[in-house]
Amino acid sequence: MTAYIIRRLLFMIPTIFGIMLVSFVVVQFAPGGPVEQVIAKLSGTGAGALSRVSGSSSGDFTARGLAGGAQSGINSRYRGAQGLDPAFIKSLKKQFGFDKPAYERFFIMLWDYLRFDFGKSYFRDVSVIELIKERLPVSISLGIWMTLLSYLISIPLGIRKAVRDGSHFDVWTSSVIIVGYAIPGFLFAILLIVLFAGGSFWQIFPLRGLTSEGWSQFPWWEKILDYFWHLTLPIISMGLSAFATMTLLTKNCFLDELRKQYVLTARAKGCSERRVLYGHIFRNAMLLVIAGFPSAFVSAFFAGSLLIETIFSLNGLGLLSFESVLNRDYPVVFANIYIFALIGLVVTLISDLTYTLIDPRIDFETREV
């Protein structure tokens, strides 16, 4: 097992390198880079990056290095239709690091990222690691609780549906699950706000934020209650489709195993139904369910949480990544890609190792990476 873990860890190096290389190359062809964003803002020809996310709490959105005279000097350098002074544009490119060749910038970025040095944001007067630390609690809360809740509900329900396949219980729960899967998460989030967050009916749950004002002064038990009070609607909205998918996947996996010969043999030997289900079927049926854990966990951090974070005014990594892409804040964009890729690879390794806990017959020592 140790040799397999070492091989997987070493395999992460070229994988991360490939992900960052592809992302870096794609960004080079993206129009409207940070230099163009700043020029558009300073020359008054466009809204630019600096005004799109003015509601953020992460500091002033002024281009890094432009403070202390750039704005006042822009009037003397601007010559109507001729645009900005080329010397000023050249200095601007140097401040953003675009005076170096692309390959040199790429390898400098990789060396810094190996040391978890993500630099400073282009448009926020704060380091990237501070931005991520500020947004990380929201994403961790949404990702972990949504994943745990969907698994804790879906697996027992899926097993129950498989055992009672074709019964009234199976039919009506399947109807509810299909309807839930068909409703987009963001649309369900809006419905919950209208119903329970002061929209048109009841004011039961808060509309924004992860905690209430003055949360740090609450007693510990009230902190926990307040935290989950704020998380209730976002978690329900995010977990709706994941809950439906995981339930049906669990049911189908158990149905496949229930029809196999070893189940009939176990029953013929006099094993109880509980022993058959959890002693023989469970470890085989759950392998496919566990295989889907990494994608479900990582998507909860970004893709699944982006709209939910926007609707419920939660400043998480999903919203931060989206804002950074819009604003061409490349240090934040690449740092998020690096962190998401690293989390995905580590969670995938943990998922593979979990196989051995469920089915000890799996031997990774003889398996190629």
Side-chain angles (χ1 to χ4, degrees), residues 144-184:
I144 290 180
W145 291 117
M146 191 278 287
T147 306
L148 287 178
L149 187 64
S150 63
Y151 269 73
L152 289 175
I153 295 176
S154 300
I155 292 176
L157 180 59
I159 296 174
R160 182 73 170 173
K161 286 173 62 62
V163 173
R164 302 184 60 179
D165 183 42
S167 65
H168 290 296
F169 173 81
D170 181 44
V171 172
W172 75 262
T173 52
S174 294
S175 302
V176 173
I177 288 170
I178 292 173
V179 171
Y181 183 77
I183 300 176

Side-chain angles (χ1 to χ4, degrees), residues 257-271 276 280-281:
E257 296 297 324
L258 281 169
R259 300 187 181 103
K260 292 185 177 178
Q261 186 63 41
Y262 75 89
V263 177
L264 298 176
T265 303
R267 285 173 175 165
K269 289 181 177 180
C271 293
V276 171
H280 297 277
I281 297 177

